[in-house]
Coordinates of all heavy atoms in Angstrom, one line a residue:
M1 N -70.1 -4.5 16.0 CA -69.2 -4.9 14.9 C -70.0 -4.9 13.7 O -71.1 -5.5 13.6 CB -68.6 -6.2 15.2 CG -67.6 -6.6 14.1 SD -66.6 -8.0 14.5 CE -65.3 -7.2 15.4
S2 N -69.4 -4.6 12.5 CA -70.0 -4.5 11.2 C -70.1 -5.9 10.6 O -69.6 -6.9 11.0 CB -69.3 -3.6 10.2 OG -69.2 -2.3 10.8
D3 N -71.0 -6.0 9.6 CA -71.2 -7.3 9.0 C -70.2 -7.6 7.8 O -70.4 -8.6 7.0 CB -72.7 -7.4 8.5 CG -73.1 -6.4 7.6 OD1 -72.4 -5.6 7.3 OD2 -74.2 -6.5 7.1
H4 N -69.3 -6.6 7.5 CA -68.3 -6.9 6.4 C -67.4 -8.0 6.8 O -67.1 -8.2 7.9 CB -67.6 -5.6 6.0 CG -67.0 -4.9 7.1 ND1 -67.7 -3.9 7.8 CD2 -65.8 -4.9 7.5 CE1 -66.8 -3.4 8.7 NE2 -65.7 -4.0 8.5
P5 N -66.9 -8.7 5.8 CA -65.9 -9.9 6.1 C -64.6 -9.3 6.7 O -64.2 -8.2 6.4 CB -65.7 -10.5 4.7 CG -66.1 -9.4 3.8 CD -67.1 -8.6 4.3
R6 N -64.0 -10.2 7.5 CA -62.7 -9.9 8.1 C -61.8 -11.1 8.0 O -62.3 -12.2 8.2 CB -63.0 -9.5 9.5 CG -63.7 -8.2 9.8 CD -63.8 -7.8 11.2 NE -64.5 -6.7 11.3 CZ -64.1 -5.4 11.5 NH1 -62.8 -5.3 11.6 NH2 -64.8 -4.3 11.6
P7 N -60.5 -10.8 7.7 CA -59.7 -12.0 7.6 C -59.4 -12.5 9.0 O -59.6 -11.8 10.0 CB -58.3 -11.4 7.0 CG -58.5 -9.9 7.3 CD -60.0 -9.6 7.4
V8 N -58.9 -13.8 9.1 CA -58.8 -14.5 10.4 C -57.7 -13.7 11.2 O -57.7 -13.8 12.4 CB -58.4 -15.9 10.3 CG1 -59.8 -16.6 9.7 CG2 -57.3 -16.2 9.4
N9 N -56.8 -13.1 10.5 CA -55.6 -12.5 11.2 C -55.8 -10.9 11.4 O -54.9 -10.2 11.5 CB -54.3 -12.7 10.3 CG -54.4 -12.0 8.9 OD1 -55.4 -11.6 8.5 ND2 -53.2 -11.8 8.3
D10 N -57.1 -10.5 11.4 CA -57.4 -9.1 11.4 C -56.8 -8.4 12.6 O -56.3 -7.2 12.5 CB -58.9 -8.9 11.3 CG -59.3 -7.5 10.7 OD1 -58.6 -7.2 9.7 OD2 -60.1 -6.8 11.2
G11 N -56.8 -9.0 13.7 CA -56.3 -8.3 14.9 C -54.7 -8.1 14.8 O -54.3 -7.0 15.1
A12 N -54.0 -9.1 14.4 CA -52.7 -9.0 14.2 C -52.3 -7.9 13.1 O -51.3 -7.2 13.3 CB -52.0 -10.4 13.9
R13 N -53.0 -8.0 12.0 CA -52.9 -7.0 10.9 C -53.1 -5.6 11.4 O -52.3 -4.7 11.1 CB -53.9 -7.4 9.8 CG -53.6 -6.7 8.5 CD -54.7 -6.8 7.6 NE -56.1 -6.4 8.1 CZ -56.4 -5.1 8.2 NH1 -55.6 -4.2 7.8 NH2 -57.5 -4.8 8.8
I14 N -54.1 -5.4 12.2 CA -54.4 -4.0 12.8 C -53.3 -3.6 13.7 O -52.9 -2.5 13.7 CB -55.8 -3.9 13.3 CG1 -56.8 -4.1 12.2 CG2 -55.9 -2.7 14.1 CD1 -58.2 -4.2 12.7
R15 N -52.8 -4.5 14.5 CA -51.7 -4.2 15.4 C -50.4 -3.8 14.7 O -49.8 -2.8 15.1 CB -51.4 -5.3 16.4 CG -52.5 -5.6 17.6 CD -52.0 -6.5 18.6 NE -51.8 -7.9 18.1 CZ -52.8 -8.7 17.9 NH1 -54.1 -8.4 18.1 NH2 -52.7 -9.9 17.4
A16 N -50.1 -4.5 13.6 CA -49.0 -4.2 12.8 C -49.2 -2.8 12.1 O -48.3 -2.0 12.1 CB -48.8 -5.3 11.7
L17 N -50.4 -2.6 11.7 CA -50.7 -1.2 11.1 C -50.5 -0.2 12.1 O -49.9 0.8 11.8 CB -52.1 -1.2 10.5 CG -52.6 0.0 9.8 CD1 -51.7 0.4 8.6 CD2 -54.0 -0.3 9.3
D18 N -51.1 -0.4 13.3 CA -50.9 0.7 14.4 C -49.4 0.9 14.7 O -49.0 2.1 14.9 CB -51.7 0.2 15.6 CG -53.2 0.3 15.5 OD1 -53.7 0.9 14.6 OD2 -53.9 -0.3 16.4
A19 N -48.7 -0.1 14.6 CA -47.2 0.1 14.9 C -46.5 1.0 14.0 O -45.5 1.6 14.3 CB -46.5 -1.2 15.0
L20 N -47.0 1.0 12.8 CA -46.4 1.9 11.7 C -46.8 3.3 11.9 O -46.1 4.2 11.3 CB -46.9 1.4 10.3 CG -46.5 0.0 9.9 CD1 -47.1 -0.4 8.5 CD2 -44.9 0.0 9.7
E21 N -47.9 3.6 12.6 CA -48.3 5.0 13.0 C -48.5 5.8 11.7 O -48.2 7.0 11.6 CB -47.2 5.8 13.8 CG -47.1 5.0 15.2 CD -46.1 5.7 16.1 OE1 -45.3 6.6 15.6 OE2 -46.1 5.4 17.3
L22 N -49.2 5.2 10.6 CA -49.5 5.9 9.4 C -50.9 6.3 9.4 O -51.3 7.2 8.6 CB -49.2 4.9 8.3 CG -47.7 4.6 8.0 CD1 -47.6 3.6 6.9 CD2 -47.0 5.9 7.6
M23 N -51.8 5.8 10.1 CA -53.2 6.1 10.1 C -53.4 7.6 10.4 O -53.0 8.1 11.5 CB -54.1 5.2 11.0 CG -54.1 3.7 10.7 SD -54.7 3.4 9.0 CE -56.4 3.8 9.3
G24 N -54.0 8.3 9.5 CA -54.2 9.8 9.6 C -53.0 10.6 9.6 O -53.1 11.8 9.9
S25 N -51.9 10.1 9.1 CA -50.7 10.9 9.1 C -50.7 11.8 7.8 O -51.5 11.6 6.9 CB -49.5 10.0 9.0 OG -49.5 9.1 7.9
A26 N -49.8 12.7 7.9 CA -49.8 13.7 6.7 C -49.2 13.0 5.5 O -48.6 12.0 5.5 CB -48.7 14.8 7.2
P27 N -49.5 13.7 4.4 CA -49.0 13.1 3.0 C -47.5 13.1 3.1 O -46.9 13.8 3.8 CB -49.5 14.1 2.0 CG -50.7 14.8 2.7 CD -50.4 14.8 4.1
E28 N -46.9 12.0 2.3 CA -45.5 11.9 2.2 C -45.2 11.8 0.7 O -45.8 11.0 0.0 CB -45.0 10.8 3.0 CG -45.2 10.9 4.4 CD -44.7 9.7 5.2 OE1 -43.5 9.3 5.0 OE2 -45.4 9.2 6.1
R29 N -44.2 12.5 0.3 CA -43.8 12.4 -1.1 C -43.6 11.1 -1.7 O -44.0 10.8 -2.8 CB -42.5 13.4 -1.3 CG -42.2 13.4 -2.8 CD -40.8 14.2 -3.0 NE -39.8 13.6 -2.2 CZ -38.8 14.3 -1.7 NH1 -38.6 15.6 -2.0 NH2 -37.8 13.8 -0.9
E30 N -43.0 10.3 -1.0 CA -42.8 8.9 -1.5 C -44.0 8.2 -1.7 O -44.1 7.4 -2.9 CB -41.9 8.1 -0.5 CG -40.5 8.7 -0.3 CD -40.4 9.7 0.7 OE1 -41.5 10.3 1.2 OE2 -39.3 10.2 0.8
F31 N -44.9 8.2 -0.9 CA -46.3 7.5 -1.2 C -47.1 8.2 -2.4 O -47.6 7.6 -3.1 CB -47.2 7.6 0.1 CG -46.7 6.6 1.1 CD1 -45.9 7.1 2.2 CD2 -47.0 5.3 1.2 CE1 -45.5 6.3 3.1 CE2 -46.6 4.5 2.2 CZ -45.9 4.9 3.2
D32 N -46.9 9.5 -2.4 CA -47.7 10.3 -3.5 C -47.1 9.8 -4.9 O -47.7 9.8 -5.8 CB -47.4 11.8 -3.2 CG -48.3 12.3 -2.1 OD1 -49.2 11.7 -1.6 OD2 -47.9 13.5 -1.6
R33 N -45.7 9.6 -4.9 CA -45.1 9.3 -6.1 C -45.5 7.9 -6.6 O -45.7 7.6 -7.7 CB -43.6 9.2 -6.0 CG -43.1 10.7 -5.9 CD -41.6 10.9 -5.6 NE -40.9 10.5 -6.9 CZ -39.6 10.3 -6.9 NH1 -38.8 10.5 -5.9 NH2 -39.1 10.0 -8.1
V34 N -45.8 7.0 -5.6 CA -46.2 5.6 -5.9 C -47.6 5.7 -6.6 O -47.8 5.0 -7.6 CB -46.3 4.7 -4.6 CG1 -47.1 3.5 -4.9 CG2 -44.9 4.4 -4.2
V35 N -48.6 6.5 -6.1 CA -49.9 6.5 -6.7 C -49.9 7.2 -8.0 O -50.6 6.9 -8.9 CB -51.0 7.1 -5.7 CG1 -51.2 6.2 -4.5 CG2 -50.6 8.5 -5.3
Q36 N -49.0 8.3 -8.1 CA -48.9 8.9 -9.4 C -48.4 8.0 -10.4 O -48.8 8.0 -11.7 CB -48.0 10.2 -9.3 CG -48.7 11.3 -8.5 CD -47.6 12.4 -8.0 OE1 -46.5 12.3 -8.3 NE2 -48.2 13.3 -7.1
M37 N -47.4 7.3 -10.2 CA -46.8 6.3 -11.1 C -47.8 5.2 -11.4 O -47.9 4.8 -12.6 CB -45.5 5.7 -10.6 CG -44.8 4.8 -11.4 SD -43.2 4.1 -10.8 CE -43.1 4.6 -9.2
A38 N -48.5 4.7 -10.5 CA -49.5 3.6 -10.8 C -50.6 4.2 -11.6 O -51.1 3.4 -12.5 CB -50.1 3.2 -9.4
A39 N -51.1 5.3 -11.4 CA -52.1 6.0 -12.3 C -51.6 6.1 -13.7 O -52.4 5.8 -14.6 CB -52.6 7.3 -11.8
R40 N -50.4 6.4 -13.8 CA -49.8 6.6 -15.1 C -49.6 5.3 -15.8 O -49.9 5.1 -17.0 CB -48.5 7.4 -15.1 CG -47.9 8.0 -16.2 CD -46.7 8.8 -16.2 NE -45.7 8.4 -15.3 CZ -45.5 8.8 -14.0 NH1 -46.2 9.8 -13.5 NH2 -44.5 8.3 -13.2
I41 N -49.0 4.3 -15.1 CA -48.6 3.1 -15.7 C -49.9 2.3 -16.1 O -50.0 1.7 -17.2 CB -47.9 2.2 -14.7 CG1 -46.3 2.8 -14.6 CG2 -47.7 0.7 -15.1 CD1 -45.6 2.1 -13.5
F42 N -50.9 2.2 -15.3 CA -52.2 1.6 -15.5 C -53.2 2.4 -16.3 O -54.3 1.8 -16.5 CB -52.7 0.9 -14.2 CG -51.8 -0.1 -13.6 CD1 -51.0 0.2 -12.5 CD2 -51.6 -1.3 -14.3 CE1 -50.3 -0.7 -11.9 CE2 -50.7 -2.2 -13.7 CZ -50.0 -1.9 -12.5
D43 N -52.9 3.6 -16.6 CA -53.8 4.5 -17.3 C -55.2 4.5 -16.5 O -56.2 4.3 -17.2 CB -53.9 4.1 -18.7 CG -54.6 5.2 -19.6 OD1 -54.6 6.4 -19.2 OD2 -55.2 4.8 -20.6
V44 N -55.2 4.8 -15.3 CA -56.4 4.8 -14.5 C -56.6 6.2 -13.9 O -55.7 6.9 -13.6 CB -56.5 3.7 -13.4 CG1 -56.5 2.4 -14.1 CG2 -55.3 3.8 -12.5
P45 N -57.9 6.6 -13.7 CA -58.1 8.0 -13.1 C -57.9 8.0 -11.6 O -57.7 9.2 -11.1 CB -59.5 8.2 -13.5 CG -60.2 6.9 -13.6 CD -59.1 6.0 -14.1
I46 N -57.9 6.8 -11.0 CA -57.8 6.8 -9.5 C -56.8 5.8 -9.1 O -56.8 4.7 -9.6 CB -59.2 6.4 -8.8 CG1 -60.3 7.6 -9.2 CG2 -59.0 6.4 -7.3 CD1 -61.6 7.2 -8.6
A47 N -55.9 6.2 -8.1 CA -54.9 5.3 -7.6 C -54.8 5.7 -6.2 O -54.8 6.9 -5.8 CB -53.6 5.5 -8.4
L48 N -54.7 4.7 -5.2 CA -54.6 5.0 -3.9 C -53.7 4.1 -3.1 O -53.4 2.9 -3.5 CB -56.0 4.6 -3.2 CG -57.3 5.3 -3.9 CD1 -58.5 4.5 -3.4 CD2 -57.4 6.7 -3.5
V49 N -53.1 4.5 -2.0 CA -52.5 3.7 -1.0 C -53.4 3.7 0.1 O -53.7 4.7 0.8 CB -51.1 4.3 -0.6 CG1 -50.6 3.4 0.6 CG2 -50.1 4.2 -1.7
S50 N -54.1 2.6 0.3 CA -55.3 2.4 1.1 C -54.8 1.6 2.4 O -54.3 0.5 2.2 CB -56.5 1.8 0.5 OG -57.4 1.5 1.4
L51 N -55.1 2.1 3.6 CA -54.7 1.3 4.8 C -56.1 1.1 5.5 O -56.8 1.9 5.9 CB -53.8 2.2 5.7 CG -52.6 2.7 5.1 CD1 -51.9 3.7 6.0 CD2 -51.7 1.6 4.7
V52 N -56.4 -0.3 5.7 CA -57.6 -0.7 6.2 C -57.5 -1.0 7.6 O -56.7 -1.9 8.1 CB -58.2 -2.0 5.5 CG1 -59.5 -2.4 6.0 CG2 -58.3 -1.6 3.9
H53 N -58.3 -0.2 8.4 CA -58.2 -0.3 9.9 C -59.6 -1.0 10.3 O -60.2 -1.6 9.6 CB -58.1 1.0 10.6 CG -57.3 0.9 11.9 ND1 -58.1 0.9 13.0 CD2 -56.1 1.0 12.3 CE1 -57.3 0.9 14.1 NE2 -56.0 0.9 13.6
R54 N -59.9 -0.9 11.7 CA -61.0 -1.6 12.3 C -62.3 -1.3 11.6 O -63.0 -2.1 11.1 CB -61.2 -1.3 13.7 CG -60.2 -2.1 14.6 CD -60.5 -1.8 16.1 NE -59.4 -2.3 16.8 CZ -58.2 -1.7 16.9 NH1 -58.0 -0.5 16.5 NH2 -57.3 -2.3 17.7
D55 N -62.6 -0.1 11.4 CA -63.9 0.4 10.9 C -63.8 1.3 9.7 O -64.8 1.9 9.2 CB -64.8 0.9 12.0 CG -65.1 -0.1 13.0 OD1 -65.5 -1.2 12.6 OD2 -65.1 0.2 14.3
H56 N -62.6 1.7 9.3 CA -62.4 2.6 8.2 C -61.2 2.4 7.4 O -60.3 1.6 7.9 CB -62.4 4.1 8.7 CG -61.3 4.4 9.5 ND1 -61.0 4.0 10.8 CD2 -60.1 5.3 9.2 CE1 -59.9 4.5 11.2 NE2 -59.3 5.2 10.3
Q57 N -61.1 2.9 6.2 CA -59.8 2.9 5.5 C -59.4 4.3 5.3 O -60.1 5.3 5.1 CB -60.0 2.2 4.1 CG -60.8 2.9 3.1 CD -61.0 2.3 1.8 OE1 -60.1 1.5 1.4 NE2 -61.9 2.7 1.0
F58 N -58.0 4.4 5.5 CA -57.4 5.8 5.3 C -56.6 5.7 4.1 O -55.9 4.7 3.7 CB -56.5 6.0 6.4 CG -55.6 7.2 6.4 CD1 -56.1 8.5 6.3 CD2 -54.2 7.0 6.3 CE1 -55.2 9.6 6.1 CE2 -53.3 8.0 6.2 CZ -53.9 9.3 6.2
F59 N -56.7 6.7 3.2 CA -55.8 6.9 2.0 C -54.6 7.6 2.2 O -54.6 8.9 2.4 CB -56.7 7.5 0.8 CG -57.9 6.8 0.5 CD1 -59.1 7.5 0.5 CD2 -57.9 5.4 0.3 CE1 -60.3 6.8 0.2 CE2 -59.1 4.8 0.0 CZ -60.2 5.5 -0.1
K60 N -53.4 6.9 2.5 CA -52.2 7.6 2.8 C -51.7 8.5 1.6 O -51.1 9.4 1.8 CB -51.2 6.5 3.1 CG -49.8 7.0 3.4 CD -49.7 7.9 4.5 CE -48.3 8.5 4.8 NZ -48.2 9.6 5.6
A61 N -52.1 7.9 0.4 CA -51.8 8.7 -0.8 C -52.9 8.5 -1.8 O -53.6 7.4 -1.7 CB -50.5 8.3 -1.4
R62 N -53.3 9.5 -2.6 CA -54.4 9.4 -3.5 C -54.2 10.3 -4.7 O -53.6 11.4 -4.6 CB -55.7 9.6 -2.9 CG -55.9 11.0 -2.3 CD -57.0 11.1 -1.4 NE -57.4 12.4 -1.0 CZ -56.7 13.2 -0.1 NH1 -55.7 12.6 0.6 NH2 -57.0 14.5 0.2
V63 N -54.7 9.8 -5.9 CA -54.8 10.5 -7.1 C -56.3 10.3 -7.6 O -56.6 9.1 -7.7 CB -53.8 10.0 -8.1 CG1 -54.1 10.6 -9.5 CG2 -52.4 10.3 -7.7
G64 N -57.0 11.3 -7.9 CA -58.3 11.2 -8.5 C -59.4 11.0 -7.6 O -60.5 10.8 -8.1
L65 N -59.2 11.1 -6.3 CA -60.2 11.0 -5.2 C -60.0 12.1 -4.2 O -58.8 12.2 -3.7 CB -60.2 9.6 -4.7 CG -61.4 9.1 -3.8 CD1 -62.7 9.2 -4.6 CD2 -61.1 7.8 -3.2
E66 N -61.0 12.9 -3.9 CA -60.8 14.0 -2.9 C -60.8 13.5 -1.5 O -60.2 14.1 -0.7 CB -61.9 15.0 -3.2 CG -61.6 15.7 -4.6 CD -60.3 16.3 -4.6 OE1 -59.8 17.0 -3.7 OE2 -59.6 16.2 -5.7
V67 N -61.6 12.5 -1.1 CA -61.8 12.1 0.2 C -60.5 11.4 0.7 O -59.9 10.8 -0.1 CB -63.0 11.2 0.5 CG1 -64.3 11.8 0.1 CG2 -62.9 9.9 -0.3
C68 N -60.3 11.5 2.0 CA -59.0 10.9 2.5 C -59.3 9.6 3.3 O -58.4 8.9 3.8 CB -58.2 11.8 3.3 SG -59.0 12.6 4.7
E69 N -60.5 9.3 3.6 CA -60.9 8.0 4.2 C -62.4 7.7 3.9 O -63.2 8.6 3.5 CB -60.7 8.1 5.7 CG -61.6 9.1 6.5 CD -61.2 8.9 8.0 OE1 -60.0 9.0 8.4 OE2 -62.2 8.9 8.8
T70 N -62.8 6.5 4.1 CA -64.2 6.0 4.0 C -64.4 4.9 5.0 O -63.4 4.4 5.7 CB -64.4 5.4 2.6 OG1 -63.7 4.1 2.5 CG2 -64.1 6.3 1.4
S71 N -65.6 4.5 5.1 CA -65.9 3.4 6.1 C -65.3 2.1 5.5 O -65.1 2.0 4.3 CB -67.4 3.3 6.3 OG -68.0 2.7 5.0
R72 N -65.0 1.2 6.3 CA -64.5 -0.1 5.9 C -65.4 -0.8 5.1 O -65.1 -1.6 4.1 CB -64.1 -0.9 7.1 CG -63.4 -2.2 6.7 CD -62.7 -2.9 7.9 NE -62.3 -4.2 7.6 CZ -61.5 -4.9 8.3 NH1 -61.1 -4.5 9.6 NH2 -61.1 -6.1 8.0
E73 N -66.7 -0.6 5.3 CA -67.8 -1.3 4.5 C -67.8 -0.9 3.1 O -68.1 -1.6 2.2 CB -69.1 -1.0 5.2 CG -69.3 -1.7 6.5 CD -70.7 -1.4 7.1 OE1 -71.6 -1.6 6.5 OE2 -70.7 -0.9 8.3
L74 N -67.3 0.3 2.8 CA -67.3 0.8 1.4 C -66.0 0.4 0.7 O -65.8 0.5 -0.5 CB -67.4 2.4 1.3 CG -68.6 3.0 1.6 CD1 -68.5 4.5 1.5 CD2 -69.8 2.5 0.7
S75 N -65.0 -0.2 1.5 CA -63.7 -0.4 1.0 C -63.6 -1.6 0.1 O -63.9 -2.8 0.4 CB -62.8 -0.7 2.2 OG -61.5 -1.1 1.8
F76 N -63.1 -1.4 -1.2 CA -62.7 -2.4 -2.0 C -61.6 -3.2 -1.4 O -61.4 -4.4 -1.5 CB -62.2 -1.9 -3.4 CG -63.3 -1.4 -4.3 CD1 -64.3 -0.7 -3.8 CD2 -63.2 -1.6 -5.6 CE1 -65.3 -0.1 -4.6 CE2 -64.2 -1.1 -6.6 CZ -65.3 -0.3 -6.0
C77 N -60.6 -2.5 -0.7 CA -59.5 -3.2 -0.1 C -59.9 -4.2 1.0 O -59.1 -5.1 1.3 CB -58.6 -2.1 0.4 SG -57.9 -1.2 -1.0
N78 N -60.9 -4.0 1.6 CA -61.4 -4.9 2.6 C -61.6 -6.3 1.9 O -61.3 -7.3 2.5 CB -62.8 -4.5 3.3 CG -63.2 -5.4 4.5 OD1 -62.3 -5.5 5.4 ND2 -64.1 -6.1 4.4
H79 N -62.1 -6.4 0.7 CA -62.2 -7.6 -0.1 C -60.8 -8.2 -0.4 O -60.5 -9.3 -0.3 CB -63.1 -7.4 -1.2 CG -64.5 -7.2 -1.0 ND1 -65.4 -8.1 -0.9 CD2 -65.2 -6.0 -0.8 CE1 -66.6 -7.6 -0.6 NE2 -66.5 -6.3 -0.5
A80 N -59.9 -7.2 -0.8 CA -58.5 -7.6 -1.2 C -57.8 -8.3 -0.1 O -57.1 -9.4 -0.3 CB -57.8 -6.4 -1.7
I81 N -57.9 -7.8 1.2 CA -57.2 -8.4 2.3 C -57.7 -9.7 2.7 O -57.1 -10.5 3.4 CB -57.1 -7.5 3.5 CG1 -58.5 -7.2 4.0 CG2 -56.3 -6.1 3.1 CD1 -58.4 -6.3 5.4
M82 N -58.9 -10.1 2.2 CA -59.5 -11.5 2.5 C -58.7 -12.6 1.7 O -58.9 -13.7 2.2 CB -60.9 -11.5 2.1 CG -61.8 -10.6 2.9 SD -61.8 -10.9 4.7 CE -62.5 -12.6 4.7
G83 N -58.1 -12.3 0.6 CA -57.5 -13.4 -0.2 C -56.0 -13.3 -0.2 O -55.4 -12.5 0.5
Q84 N -55.4 -14.4 -0.9 CA -54.0 -14.5 -0.9 C -53.4 -14.2 -2.3 O -52.2 -14.4 -2.5 CB -53.6 -16.0 -0.5 CG -54.1 -16.4 0.9 CD -53.3 -15.5 2.0 OE1 -52.0 -15.4 1.8 NE2 -53.9 -15.0 3.0
T85 N -54.3 -13.8 -3.2 CA -53.8 -13.6 -4.6 C -54.2 -12.1 -4.9 O -54.8 -11.5 -4.2 CB -54.5 -14.6 -5.6 OG1 -55.8 -14.4 -5.6 CG2 -54.2 -16.0 -5.2
V86 N -53.6 -11.8 -6.1 CA -54.0 -10.4 -6.6 C -55.5 -10.3 -6.7 O -56.2 -11.2 -7.2 CB -53.3 -10.2 -8.0 CG1 -53.7 -8.8 -8.6 CG2 -51.9 -10.3 -7.8
F87 N -56.1 -9.2 -6.3 CA -57.4 -8.8 -6.4 C -57.8 -7.9 -7.5 O -57.2 -6.7 -7.5 CB -57.9 -8.3 -5.0 CG -59.3 -8.0 -4.9 CD1 -60.3 -8.9 -4.8 CD2 -59.8 -6.7 -4.8 CE1 -61.7 -8.7 -4.7 CE2 -61.1 -6.3 -4.8 CZ -62.1 -7.4 -4.7
V88 N -58.4 -8.3 -8.5 CA -58.8 -7.4 -9.7 C -60.3 -7.3 -9.8 O -61.0 -8.2 -9.9 CB -58.2 -8.1 -10.9 CG1 -58.5 -7.3 -12.2 CG2 -56.7 -8.2 -10.8
V89 N -60.7 -6.0 -10.0 CA -62.0 -5.7 -10.4 C -62.0 -5.0 -11.7 O -61.6 -3.9 -11.7 CB -62.7 -4.8 -9.3 CG1 -64.1 -4.4 -9.6 CG2 -62.6 -5.5 -7.9
A90 N -62.4 -5.7 -12.7 CA -62.3 -5.1 -14.1 C -63.2 -3.9 -14.3 O -62.9 -2.9 -14.9 CB -62.5 -6.1 -15.2
D91 N -64.5 -4.0 -13.8 CA -65.4 -2.9 -13.9 C -66.4 -3.0 -12.7 O -67.2 -3.9 -12.7 CB -66.2 -3.1 -15.2 CG -67.2 -2.0 -15.5 OD1 -67.5 -1.2 -14.5 OD2 -67.6 -1.8 -16.6
A92 N -66.1 -2.1 -11.8 CA -66.9 -2.1 -10.5 C -68.4 -1.9 -10.8 O -69.2 -2.4 -10.0 CB -66.4 -1.0 -9.6
R93 N -68.8 -1.3 -11.8 CA -70.2 -1.1 -12.2 C -70.9 -2.4 -12.5 O -72.0 -2.5 -12.4 CB -70.4 -0.1 -13.3 CG -69.8 1.3 -13.0 CD -69.7 2.1 -14.2 NE -68.8 1.5 -15.1 CZ -68.4 1.9 -16.3 NH1 -69.0 3.0 -16.9 NH2 -67.6 1.3 -17.1
Q94 N -70.1 -3.3 -13.0 CA -70.6 -4.7 -13.5 C -70.4 -5.7 -12.3 O -70.9 -6.9 -12.5 CB -69.9 -5.1 -14.8 CG -70.1 -4.0 -15.9 CD -71.6 -3.9 -16.2 OE1 -72.5 -4.8 -16.2 NE2 -72.0 -2.7 -16.4
D95 N -69.6 -5.5 -11.4 CA -69.3 -6.4 -10.3 C -70.4 -6.4 -9.2 O -70.7 -5.3 -8.6 CB -67.9 -6.1 -9.7 CG -67.4 -7.2 -8.8 OD1 -68.2 -7.6 -7.8 OD2 -66.3 -7.6 -9.0
E96 N -71.1 -7.5 -8.9 CA -72.2 -7.5 -7.9 C -71.7 -7.1 -6.5 O -72.5 -6.6 -5.8 CB -72.9 -8.8 -7.9 CG -72.1 -10.0 -7.3 CD -72.8 -11.3 -7.4 OE1 -73.4 -11.5 -8.4 OE2 -72.5 -12.0 -6.5
R97 N -70.5 -7.2 -6.2 CA -70.0 -6.8 -4.9 C -70.0 -5.3 -4.8 O -70.1 -4.8 -3.6 CB -68.6 -7.4 -4.6 CG -68.6 -8.8 -4.5 CD -67.2 -9.4 -4.5 NE -66.5 -9.1 -5.8 CZ -65.3 -9.5 -6.2 NH1 -64.6 -10.2 -5.4 NH2 -64.9 -9.1 -7.4
F98 N -69.8 -4.6 -5.9 CA -69.6 -3.2 -5.8 C -70.5 -2.3 -6.6 O -70.3 -1.1 -6.5 CB -68.1 -2.9 -6.3 CG -67.1 -3.6 -5.5 CD1 -66.3 -4.7 -6.2 CD2 -66.8 -3.5 -4.2 CE1 -65.4 -5.4 -5.5 CE2 -65.9 -4.2 -3.5 CZ -65.2 -5.2 -4.2
S99 N -71.3 -2.8 -7.4 CA -72.1 -2.0 -8.3 C -73.1 -1.0 -7.5 O -73.3 0.1 -8.1 CB -73.0 -2.8 -9.2 OG -73.8 -3.7 -8.4
A100 N -73.4 -1.3 -6.3 CA -74.2 -0.4 -5.5 C -73.4 0.5 -4.6 O -74.0 1.3 -3.8 CB -75.3 -1.2 -4.7
N101 N -72.1 0.2 -4.5 CA -71.2 1.0 -3.6 C -71.2 2.5 -3.9 O -71.3 2.9 -5.1 CB -69.8 0.4 -3.8 CG -68.8 1.0 -2.9 OD1 -68.6 2.1 -2.7 ND2 -68.2 0.0 -2.1
Q102 N -71.3 3.3 -2.8 CA -71.4 4.7 -3.0 C -70.2 5.3 -3.8 O -70.2 6.2 -4.5 CB -71.4 5.4 -1.7 CG -72.7 5.2 -0.9 CD -72.6 5.7 0.5 OE1 -71.7 6.5 0.8 NE2 -73.5 5.3 1.3
L103 N -69.0 4.5 -3.7 CA -67.8 5.0 -4.4 C -67.9 4.7 -5.9 O -67.3 5.3 -6.7 CB -66.5 4.3 -3.9 CG -66.1 4.6 -2.4 CD1 -65.0 3.7 -1.9 CD2 -65.8 6.0 -2.2
V104 N -68.8 3.9 -6.3 CA -69.0 3.5 -7.7 C -70.2 4.4 -8.2 O -70.1 5.0 -9.3 CB -69.3 2.1 -7.9 CG1 -69.7 1.7 -9.3 CG2 -68.2 1.2 -7.4
T105 N -71.2 4.5 -7.4 CA -72.4 5.2 -7.9 C -72.3 6.7 -7.8 O -73.1 7.5 -8.5 CB -73.7 4.7 -7.2 OG1 -73.5 5.1 -5.8 CG2 -73.9 3.3 -7.3
G106 N -71.5 7.1 -6.9 CA -71.3 8.6 -6.7 C -70.3 9.3 -7.6 O -70.2 10.4 -7.8

């Protein structure tokens, strides 16, 4: 098991995610429209619908990023699912949790 943090409900969350049968699934117009709209509204170069599984995250929809999945250890969303409030990273290059992350440095 990896050393990245996991929420106490991780098992139940993963079972619910598995029940949706979205991991590794083909792109869908509805999800693509969500990320396109988010990128436009927030004026950002990258927008994703990210599904965090046991050891990886899968991007069900993406704008501005070519990869369709990464390890969970690289996942910003792994940090987001740990909390109960909105998770905001203003500048990943300045955030100690992410400044050395391959998704930031690459």
